[in-house]
Amino acid sequence: MSDVQLHPVKRTKVEEAVLNKYSRVFTQTVANGGAKAMLYAAGITEAQMDLPQIGISSVAFDGNPCNQHLGNLAQKIKEGCELEGLVGMQHATVGVSDGMTQGNSGMSYSLPSRDLIADSIEMIVNAQHYDGNICVPGCDKNMPGCFMAIARHNKPSIIVYGGTIQPGERHLDCPSMGFKKGDPVNIGDAFESYGAFVTGQISEAVREDVVRHACPGAGACGGMFTANTMSSVLEVLGVSLPYSASIPAIYPEKLQECLKAARYMKNLLAKDIKPLDIVTKRSFENAITVVNVISGSTNAVLHLLAMARSAGIDLTTEDFARIAAKTPVLADMKPSGKYFMEDLHRVGGIPAVLKYLLKNTDLIDGTQLTVTGKTLAENVADAPDLTLEQDVVRPLDNPIKPTGHLVILKGNLAPNSAVSKITGKEGTYFKGRAKCFDTEEAFYPALKNGEITEGTCVIIRYQGPKGGPGCPEMLGPTGAIVGAGLGHGKVALITDGRFSGASRGFIIGHVTPEAQVGGPIALVQDGDIVTVDADNRTIDVEVDEATFAARRKDWAAPPLKHKRGVLYRYARDVRGADEGAYTD
């Protein structure tokens, strides 16, 4: 077993362990009397001064179902800390609602929020000398942001996902789209309703019914969109407890998870098990494997690249290509499939998926350590088996797609790389004429006026990390295309921006180099023939080098869209999407 990775974990005896090795700088150092005085003022008792202090990093804010309940979860974690003889210290960070900022200027702040979340948690956990860290993320960028933080400060840490939302319920029949009263409805349907409405397929009453009932309460978007994809990633990486990814936000089990997190934290402190003792190249490969198996979001590529860098692990887009080539898509999850995250939880969640893969394939390395103090395989040994009666997760001999749906493309349109989400339901090959837009806003009138027809290759550019800025998601355009009846491979959409996990269709994003820095996508013109071949992993435009060279002479980089502030700083510092769009 020479290929098995060993974890350099310091196995300190519990009775000899120093659990407050960081906070004692404040509480037990005579020269820091001022710090201790302020702790007294903050309500810390004399008896608590010797206890470990745990930073509880909640990404809570009102007005967004993904995050509105996280303060309550953080409070429950604090209660658990008290039960275990730990002192929970709550603090906040920033957050952005990806769902609410789709198609408007707020989306430029979404991806930058990931790095700001990481910065702020790293800052307070280190500056306040917390002994450990329990993070409570909800919306998409929260999860990678929290992971990047714990990898940087490298103190004993657990990430408790806020949980998925449940699907809503239609209150009106919609025969034109094949739906009836009582059918489930979700946020993806709300975005797709626009295209259906402007093309006359549904009435205003049906559109309003979808919007009104798509989100019934607390929790992150309910399909295998980015939030549920990244929570699954955290569980597979070993930094969340088993079932954390799939327990819905309003289930009592989520509160129970919060209460028991402190018990596992105390064990991590005693054994000095830190994030960088847990995550390895193998654990990242496990995560990439599961993302493909569960039909996860394209954003997983961008985030995992940045997360690996924070952990000092070499990961590239070629690792995604290599793993996808041998990994089937098994879970029939929305947006392209039938089921929600709650449905996956009912059949056993991520532990059941891992157990099935461990028993029947060599795709998962079960020797990887986790925050339970046990290995991944030990964690799932008693998990329920996937049964033949369920069809949320298909058997290996009947996959949705025999190889992964996250296809890394290269060609003269994307010399570095591009990321496609090809489930097979929309085909694997597209050839069409380019229709170019330099802003997302310009796309919608063209769709409404009938300029987007079958065979059109929509290109929305200047949406990359620098050009967007912030690499905004194109859920609005993809939803409108599908809603207009132009999905299933009839129209392709290519962008140097990103896609929401709720996007579906023949979609290619993360095109690098991006338009803002002079990538070939900036030089494509209306009418150019674009070919995407997912089987051969190519993306090309039928323009010869001489024509490209002539066009380049006439091209000049537009000025950055912001002169000051967080978006200026982000556009100035950020690296390409093919490197994870990191800023540090």
Side-chain angles (χ1 to χ4, degrees), residues 27 49 59 93 148 161 169 221 469:
T27 61
M49 287 294 176
V59 195
T93 179
M148 291 162 68
Y161 177 43
E169 184 178 296
C221 299

Side-chain angles (χ1 to χ4, degrees), residues 39-62:
L39 285 170
Y40 280 128
I44 303 302
T45 67
E46 182 65 39
Q48 290 176 314
M49 287 294 176
D50 292 333
L51 300 181
Q53 296 181 12
I54 309 301
I56 303 172
S57 310
S58 166
V59 195
F61 61 97
D62 289 341

Side-chain angles (χ1 to χ4, degrees), residues 134-216:
I134 301 177
C135 298
V136 195
C139 195
D140 300 7
K141 308 307 172 292
N142 302 176
M143 274 69 73
C146 288
F147 178 91
M148 291 162 68
I150 69 171
R152 291 179 192 172
H153 66 60
N154 198 31
K155 295 180 179 182
S157 300
I158 297 172
I159 301 179
V160 176
Y161 177 43
T164 183
I165 198 173
Q166 295 177 292
E169 184 178 296
R170 291 177 182 267
H171 286 211
L172 295 177
D173 291 331
C174 182
S176 62
M177 304 294 288
F179 300 112
K180 63 182 184 300
K181 180 180 178 180
D183 283 347
V185 63
N186 73 97
I187 187 67
D189 298 311
F191 282 98
E192 293 177 7
S193 68
Y194 170 80
F197 175 66
V198 298
T199 55
Q201 297 183 68
I202 63 173
S203 66
E204 170 61 19
V206 170
R207 189 197 69 81
E208 179 60 27
D209 177 62
V210 170
V211 172
R212 176 64 184 83
H213 300 109
C215 299

Side-chain angles (χ1 to χ4, degrees), residues 332-333 336-338 394 400-401 422-427 488-489:
D332 191 19
M333 305 294 290
S336 297
K338 179 180 179 181
R394 292 191 185 182
I400 294 169
K401 189 171 180 284
I422 307 295
T423 65
K425 297 180 180 181
E426 57 285 291
H488 303 290

Side-chain angles (χ1 to χ4, degrees), residues 280-405:
T280 67
K281 180 69 175 282
R282 290 288 185 83
S283 62
F284 270 87
E285 290 173 339
N286 284 344
I288 296 170
T289 297
V290 170
V291 168
N292 280 281
V293 168
I294 63 177
S295 192
S297 167
T298 54
N299 281 316
V301 179
L302 187 82
H303 295 321
L304 279 164
L305 290 171
M307 291 161 64
R309 182 180 178 276
S310 292
I313 293 169
D314 182 28
L315 195 72
T316 70
T317 54
E318 284 306 306
D319 290 307
F320 287 85
R322 170 176 56 83
I323 293 169
K326 63 179 181 178
T327 305
V329 178
L330 300 180
D332 191 19
M333 305 294 290
K334 286 186 176 294
S336 297
K338 179 180 179 181
Y339 292 107
F340 297 92
M341 192 61 158
E342 184 180 27
D343 297 310
L344 182 60
H345 183 66
R346 286 170 176 159
V347 300
I350 296 301
V353 173
L354 288 170
K355 184 177 181 180
Y356 179 73
L357 295 174
L358 284 165
K359 288 176 65 175
N360 297 283
T361 76
D362 61 355
L363 296 173
I364 297 294
D365 182 350
T367 68
Q368 301 301 297
L369 188 64
T370 74
V371 291
T372 65
K374 300 178 180 179
T375 66
L376 197 64
E378 289 171 334
N379 280 350
V380 304
D382 296 326
D385 292 308
L386 293 172
T387 66
L388 296 176
E389 288 72 27
Q390 61 83 32
D391 62 350
V392 179
V393 182
R394 292 191 185 182
L396 288 160
D397 59 4
N398 183 32
I400 294 169
K401 189 171 180 284
T403 56
H405 67 301

Side-chain angles (χ1 to χ4, degrees), residues 96 119 132 160 168 172 344 389 409 417 498 500 562:
V96 170
D119 292 346
V160 176
L172 295 177
L344 182 60
E389 288 72 27
L409 304 170
S417 66
R498 297 180 294 124
S500 163
H562 298 270

